[in-house]
Amino acid sequence: MSGGTALTIRDAVPADLDALVALSRKTFSDKFAHLYDPKELAAYLETAHAPGWYLDMIRSDEALLRVVETEGGRLGAYLLCSPLSLPAEAPLPGAVELKRVYVDGPLQGHGLGSRLVDEALDWARRSGAPEMYLSVYADNLDAQRLYARLGWRKVGEFIFHVGRHQDREFLLCRDMQSDAI
């Protein structure tokens, strides 16, 4: 990292829960709040970024939840992978999902997102997953370029709901069997 900021990437633990939930809500809101009615966004965050949900992910043997801790002990980014829950049409048995990669604003632009995606790919390989899926907002061109560069291809679209608001999402898939990268 430039600027001398020491970062530690490690597995999330239950003691991280409050900071992780706060980071997840902040980074989602920083990126997407302008799209949504504030009350509907708040309701979405209360369910999709709920403490109990993250605690289940921390405790799950089938998920990967990594956090990035700054020198001062603050969480600044996180990665979440899980068994596939996205609406893929014909996934191969054992397919997994890169569910969330979020980096707080002050840490963006230094390759941390790419590093976390590399960790996700390593996890998928160790898990023996034949393919890895993710979804990306149709207007998030930076993320689409990153994922294309790393071997994902668009395989579908679906609608992502936040309250009454509907976002067009692209479903991307990366073949882990050929692992050309």
Side-chain angles (χ1 to χ4, degrees):
M1 285 297 299
S2 64
T5 303
L7 300 176
T8 302
I9 300 175
R10 60 174 175 76
D11 290 333
V13 296
D16 295 321
L17 187 59
D18 290 343
L20 177 60
V21 170
L23 175 65
S24 75
R25 291 177 181 188
K26 179 189 184 307
T27 53
F28 184 89
S29 296
D30 287 351
K31 185 75 177 172
F32 301 113
H34 68 281
L35 298 172
Y36 308 122
D37 171 271
K39 288 181 183 175
E40 291 181 348
L41 174 62
Y44 169 79
L45 293 173
E46 283 297 317
T47 56
H49 292 259
W53 187 85
Y54 277 104
L55 188 57
D56 288 346
M57 292 293 109
I58 290 170
R59 291 179 173 160
S60 173
D61 292 334
E62 296 182 326
L64 172 71
L65 183 48
R66 305 276 285 161
V67 294
V68 178
E69 187 176 10
T70 66
E71 204 168 17
R74 185 182 67 81
L75 296 188
Y78 74 103
L79 161 70
L80 176 59
C81 300
S82 69
L84 180 63
S85 64
L86 289 167
E89 283 194 30
L92 295 174
V96 294
E97 176 179 338
L98 193 168
K99 192 173 279 302
R100 295 178 181 165
V101 174
Y102 282 100
V103 178
D104 200 8
L107 297 179
Q108 291 178 6
H110 301 285
L112 189 53
S114 294
R115 186 169 168 195
L116 290 172
V117 171
D118 286 344
E119 289 213 15
L121 292 170
D122 288 344
W123 172 80
R125 284 183 202 101
R126 287 191 314 273
S127 300
E131 55 193 7
M132 184 173 229
Y133 287 83
L134 62 85
S135 70
V136 63
Y137 177 49
D139 291 339
N140 190 347
L141 301 179
D142 290 338
Q144 290 173 44
R145 281 190 287 272
L146 169 68
Y147 295 130
R149 189 172 69 246
L150 295 174
W152 269 272
R153 70 188 191 296
K154 182 181 172 192
V155 295
E157 295 184 16
F158 65 97
I159 299 299
F160 178 79
H161 294 273
V162 174
R164 292 167 294 171
H165 189 93
Q166 298 181 1
D167 289 323
R168 194 167 125 227
E169 289 278 312
F170 292 161
L171 181 64
L172 307 181
C173 181
R174 186 180 190 285
D175 179 1
M176 298 302 296
Q177 294 172 331
S178 68
D179 215 0
I181 292 179

